Amino acid sequence: MPKAIYAGSFDPFTMGHYDILLRASKLFEEVIIAIGTNTSKKTLFSPEEKKEMIQEVIENSPMSNVRVILHTDGLTVDLAKKEEANVMLRGIRTVEDMEYEMAIASMNKTQAPEIETVFLMASEKYRFLSSSLLKEIAQFKGSIDGMVPESIGRRMIEKYKN
Ligand code: ADP
């Protein structure tokens, strides 16, 4: 059975990410979440915080074939090769996502033709959920219930208090 890398910034990991992960965990032997660390963007959580929070969510879930790692440098396809993963997993919400994801998938193909990108469509209820919108809501004390795993929602609220 194939093994997948689910790479992203996960700042933070939302229920949209969780939904894709849960569905993918039934399709692949193993799913490796690779948290990007080389972003120039200022993030709400550090890579280590993200890792710890996602691990906690997974421990309290029915999933037993998910691992979380930090993607510190280099191309994601090189990380996939190192981890012996043959699939890059991505979620698609909208046509805009599709355009962007197709460009990445196509460039990845030039670097590692043996690795396939697999897209899962976002579930209807998470179609308009993004980490950035979630942060905007949390920052202005709006309700983020049901949009993010509870433990992560608590950590977001704490961050914005400080
Ligand atoms: P990146 O900065 O790499 O886009 P993200 O953390 O925003 O990282 O997203 C990681 C992956 O999860 C991407 O493939 C993205 O399209 C997907 N994703 C993000 N939010 C959702 C959602 N609500 N439903 C399904 N997939 C999602």
Side-chain angles (χ1 to χ4, degrees):
M1 248 170 74
K3 199 161 138 180
I5 289 256
Y6 185 26
S9 11
F10 306 110
D11 188 48
F13 184 84
T14 69
M15 285 309 290
H17 294 129
Y18 181 86
D19 179 64
I20 295 285
L21 183 67
L22 188 63
R23 288 158 57 201
S25 72
K26 294 170 192 160
L27 300 174
F28 300 104
E29 182 190 345
E30 185 180 33
V31 181
I32 302 162
I33 297 187
I35 302 170
T37 58
N38 54 356
T39 165
S40 48
K41 283 187 282 181
K42 197 184 171 314
T43 56
L44 181 62
F45 293 103
S46 71
E48 292 73 22
E49 286 176 313
K50 292 180 196 174
K51 185 176 178 192
E52 180 206 312
M53 292 189 298
I54 299 173
Q55 259 166 349
E56 190 189 335
V57 169
I58 292 163
E59 275 159 26
N60 292 297
S61 81
M63 294 177 272
S64 57
N65 58 345
V66 178
R67 191 151 55 86
V68 190
I69 61 173
L70 296 183
H71 179 200
T72 46
D73 61 17
L75 297 173
T76 318
V77 284
D78 290 334
L79 180 70
K81 285 183 200 166
K82 185 173 152 246
E83 295 291 336
E84 296 177 331
N86 46 358
V87 167
M88 309 272 283
L89 169 71
R90 298 287 287 178
I92 288 200
R93 288 160 292 186
T94 59
V95 177
E96 289 73 33
D97 269 1
M98 178 99 169
E99 291 275 339
Y100 173 69
E101 295 293 343
M102 278 173 74
I104 300 177
S106 170
M107 288 315 282
N108 282 339
K109 218 39 179 167
T110 68
Q111 304 303 306
E114 70 282 16
I115 296 177
E116 294 295 342
T117 299
V118 170
F119 300 114
L120 288 188
M121 243 173 76
S123 293
E124 195 58 42
K125 67 190 233 204
Y126 301 127
R127 234 190 118 196
F128 298 105
L129 176 57
S130 66
S131 299
S132 47
L133 284 178
L134 188 71
K135 283 184 277 191
E136 276 196 44
I137 299 173
Q139 184 178 358
F140 298 112
K141 317 254 180 302
S143 165
I144 53 172
D145 287 359
M147 299 180 198
V148 64
E150 251 177 59
S151 53
I152 297 182
R154 279 197 299 273
R155 297 276 292 263
M156 286 183 86
I157 293 166
E158 262 170 47
K159 280 263 179 196
Y160 285 118
K161 260 192 211 153
N162 303 325

